[in-house]
Amino acid sequence: MTSGRQALETKVFPVCAEGISREHHYCNYITTMAKKLWEKNIDVNPEIERFTVGRDKKLDLMLARYDVLGSLAHCKMLESIGLLTKEERELVRQGLWGIYSAVMTGTFIIEDGVEDVHSQVELMLTRKLGDIGKKIHSGRSRNDQVLVDLKLFTRHELQDICEAVIALFDALQQQSEKHKDVLMPGYTHLQVAMPSSFGLWFGAYAESLADDMLFLQAAYRMCNRNPLGSAAGYGSSFPLNRTMTTELLGFDSMNYNVVYAQMGRGKSERNVAFALASVAGTLSKMAFDACMFNSQNFGFVKLPAECTTGSSIMPHKKNPDVFEIMRAKCNRLQALPMDIAMIMNNLPSGYFRDLQIIKELFLPAFADIKECLAMATYIIERIEVNKEILNDSRYDAMFSVEEVNRLATEGMPFRDAYKKVGLDIEAGTFTPDKNVHHTHEGSIGNLCNEEIKKLMYGIYNAMDFDKARNAEKALLKA
Ligand code: ARG
């Protein structure tokens, strides 16, 4: 006959990973189950716990720094409304500072049996400060805590991303200016179409980033509002001073309505994901162009040899894998808003644990896009362009419209000129004049890079990153 304990062991730990014995799991379960913030007199089935905690223990480490910042602001506010004494608050501040240092030096962990970062921070404070640590949760819930953590994390990441976008933008504009007189073929239907230039090609992606920056700005503004104080989603009977925590955390304003503050979970991530997807869309198209133009059949650009990869069988290969990986990552990022929408779309208002799963998709996306932006900038700064492409006669026909326009300027009706040039090309008597004269705004001869720069920096400079950064620094001191 199996004992109750044996039955539990085999049932809830049917497979023991990494050689850890069932015994060990069981002991852990017994010794740590008291660590649940909410646990009263019911033992939670460990399999249920494992399933519901999911990947939180790992992912929440990314939020730890912000959980501490949120707690610092919350505790300062609790003191102001008399729920912590000055001395208690100072002890909590020192305790939180210690946790912050552990996070920043990489020694902070979420222990076995502890559900998430919020529980771990409270547990550490309670171990250190006893009853004082148990007071800090007054007037808040993990629901608004995770909202604040996500907002602060996202705000920080968006600052990095905007800066990375600016770096790529500058690199593209520099290349555009440098090669503004170098012509290259333009295509429609992937058929040789009309003269283009490297000035246009690089400059186009810079302007695309300026539009992406608009999405980033909207995402930043939307996420820079304080949900703290919404508690479980319906506020609190404590007279919380939400204006104070809004200022302390350097938010632009609060999410006023507590129900809406909670509804922002998922919505905020989805909208930020749209901004990331917009940048990713620019990068994936640029990566495709770069791969194609780098191929021998085009030969328009050349990646520096150190940025290419080899083949195990073909000794001559210098492959543009870097752009291929970038393209794949960025194409996947473009699915992110939809992936998030599929999780949160059909939920009514109020908190649901479904929202936790969004973190699995959302949190790692920032590292992906930042890595792609850094790679793109590195290569764009070093990419070589072929100044001799147009000596190849296969591109001669793309000057046909230039000739039609020349004849039309001399008085021949456009349609007649079009027909004449068409027939000359058919007869093999067309000789292209490769001196192009495009003068209007945004064309080969008038790139408007200055105007595009003004547009980009206008959007970028309208975001006040210093306010948020200074508030975070001040919180750690005071
Ligand atoms: N891990 C949870 C999440 O990401 C934290 C909030 C838990 N709240 C709750 N009511 N169970 O959503």
Side-chain angles (χ1 to χ4, degrees):
M1 231 178 65
T2 51
S3 70
R5 172 174 164 176
Q6 274 169 337
L8 176 69
E9 281 181 21
T10 40
K11 205 166 154 223
V12 299
F13 305 123
V15 180
C16 289
E18 294 150 16
I20 299 168
S21 69
R22 285 201 176 95
E23 176 80 6
H24 174 85
H25 273 300
Y26 184 80
C27 290
N28 249 347
Y29 167 53
I30 296 300
T31 54
T32 57
M33 61 186 179
K35 290 180 187 168
K36 303 287 166 304
L37 294 176
W38 42 265
E39 207 159 314
K40 290 167 285 286
N41 51 6
I42 303 165
D43 294 350
V44 183
N45 177 322
E47 268 308 276
I48 299 293
E49 190 206 330
R50 191 193 57 75
F51 182 71
T52 51
V53 169
R55 292 172 56 197
D56 252 20
K57 283 160 75 101
K58 193 151 179 256
L59 289 166
D60 271 15
L61 291 179
M62 292 195 214
L63 301 178
R65 173 180 170 184
Y66 305 101
D67 203 71
V68 174
L69 288 170
S71 294
L72 280 166
H74 182 67
C75 292
K76 198 164 179 187
M77 187 278 293
L78 288 182
E79 183 202 336
S80 78
I81 60 169
L83 286 175
L84 283 178
T85 65
K86 196 164 183 294
E87 294 69 36
E88 286 172 336
R89 209 274 291 183
E90 180 50 26
L91 288 170
V92 170
R93 191 190 71 78
Q94 285 169 15
L96 286 169
W97 212 97
I99 298 173
Y100 188 84
S101 309
V103 172
M104 298 314 272
T105 51
T107 54
F108 176 88
I109 55 156
I110 300 174
E111 297 166 32
D112 275 354
V114 179
E115 273 192 310
D116 51 31
V117 66
H118 327 294
S119 315
Q120 180 68 35
V121 169
E122 187 174 324
L123 176 73
M124 286 166 86
L125 282 179
T126 306
R127 263 193 210 137
K128 198 173 151 81
L129 305 173
D131 282 354
I132 303 173
K134 294 187 203 156
K135 288 186 177 182
I136 70 161
H137 209 55
S138 318
R140 75 174 178 182
S141 148
R142 283 183 299 166
N143 294 357
D144 65 339
Q145 225 178 321
V146 64
L147 278 170
V148 178
D149 294 4
L150 284 167
K151 295 259 196 172
L152 294 177
F153 168 87
T154 307
R155 183 173 81 173
H156 181 93
E157 293 295 319
L158 285 176
Q159 291 167 0
D160 283 357
I161 288 167
C162 288
E163 280 162 7
V165 166
I166 284 287
L168 177 59
F169 175 86
D170 289 344
L172 286 162
Q173 280 220 316
Q174 269 162 27
Q175 291 287 36
S176 171
E177 279 298 310
K178 186 167 165 198
H179 301 296
K180 65 177 176 212
D181 298 322
V182 185
L183 295 184
M184 68 188 281
Y187 293 82
T188 65
H189 312 268
L190 258 191
Q191 305 286 305
V192 172
M194 283 189 63
S196 179
S197 72
F198 283 103
L200 274 179
W201 185 64
F202 286 116
Y205 285 103
E207 187 172 350
S208 180
L209 289 176
D211 272 351
D212 300 335
M213 189 61 96
L214 212 45
F215 276 86
L216 289 169
Q217 190 203 66
Y220 188 79
R221 296 214 149 145
M222 204 173 296
C223 114
N224 204 13
R225 300 193 197 287
N226 182 20
L228 190 59
S230 58
Y234 301 94
S236 165
S237 57
F238 289 124
L240 304 176
N241 185 346
R242 298 191 63 210
T243 302
M244 181 175 175
T245 55
T246 301
E247 279 162 15
L248 286 172
L249 291 164
F251 283 114
D252 281 342
S253 77
M254 63 187 88
N255 288 130
Y256 293 97
N257 181 310
V258 290
V259 173
Y260 178 63
Q262 179 55 56
M263 269 158 59
R265 181 99 187 260
K267 175 177 176 173
S268 175
E269 291 97 306
R270 190 199 56 208
N271 289 337
V272 170
F274 270 119
L276 303 188
S278 191
V279 177
T282 299
L283 290 187
S284 69
K285 196 180 277 288
M286 188 178 81
F288 197 155
D289 271 3
C291 286
M292 189 166 71
F293 293 164
N294 182 65
S295 112
Q296 292 83 353
N297 296 67
F298 286 79
F300 299 170
V301 297
K302 208 163 140 208
L303 301 191
E306 46 132 2
C307 297
T308 60
T309 51
S311 150
S312 61
I313 180 172
M314 297 165 281
H316 64 285
K317 290 305 273 308
K318 287 196 180 103
N319 294 325
D321 294 19
V322 59
F323 277 123
E324 293 166 8
I325 296 288
M326 190 184 302
R327 184 171 56 197
K329 280 184 183 255
C330 288
N331 283 339
R332 190 179 55 185
L333 276 169
Q334 286 174 85
L336 186 63
M338 287 308 127
D339 289 341
I340 294 175
M342 293 308 282
I343 298 170
M344 46 74 77
N345 221 3
N346 58 355
L347 300 178
S349 60
Y351 175 83
F352 294 92
R353 198 74 181 264
D354 308 48
L355 298 163
Q356 172 178 302
I357 299 298
I358 295 175
K359 291 192 291 193
E360 294 181 9
L361 308 167
F362 185 65
L363 298 183
F366 294 91
D368 277 346
I369 191 86
K370 284 200 288 191
E371 215 184 0
C372 290
L373 282 163
M375 278 290 144
T377 308
Y378 185 85
I379 297 177
I380 289 297
E381 280 168 351
R382 288 162 180 79
I383 203 164
E384 288 168 36
V385 312
N386 178 359
K387 299 190 171 127
E388 315 299 336
I389 314 167
L390 299 188
N391 294 343
D392 189 329
S393 61
R394 82 175 81 188
Y395 303 119
D396 283 0
M398 76 179 188
F399 294 96
S400 65
V401 184
E402 311 298 304
E403 180 60 8
V404 171
N405 290 358
R406 194 186 64 75
L407 292 171
T409 316
E410 284 173 1
M412 191 184 289
F414 177 86
R415 193 49 64 211
D416 293 346
Y418 169 94
K419 206 164 190 173
K420 176 186 168 354
V421 173
L423 291 172
D424 286 351
I425 291 171
E426 290 290 306
T429 56
F430 172 69
T431 21
D433 175 0
K434 296 185 181 176
N435 292 312
V436 298
H437 301 287
H438 292 204
T439 55
H440 67 76
E441 299 91 334
S443 66
I444 296 172
N446 184 3
L447 295 173
C448 293
N449 279 338
E450 263 315 303
E451 287 81 347
I452 295 168
K453 190 174 183 171
K454 250 169 94 183
L455 196 68
M456 172 58 120
Y457 276 85
I459 302 163
Y460 175 62
N461 290 330
M463 288 176 278
D464 184 3
F465 296 161
D466 284 346
K467 183 181 165 195
R469 285 174 178 158
N470 292 339
E472 289 178 18
K473 267 191 225 140
L475 253 183
L476 287 166
K477 283 194 201 125

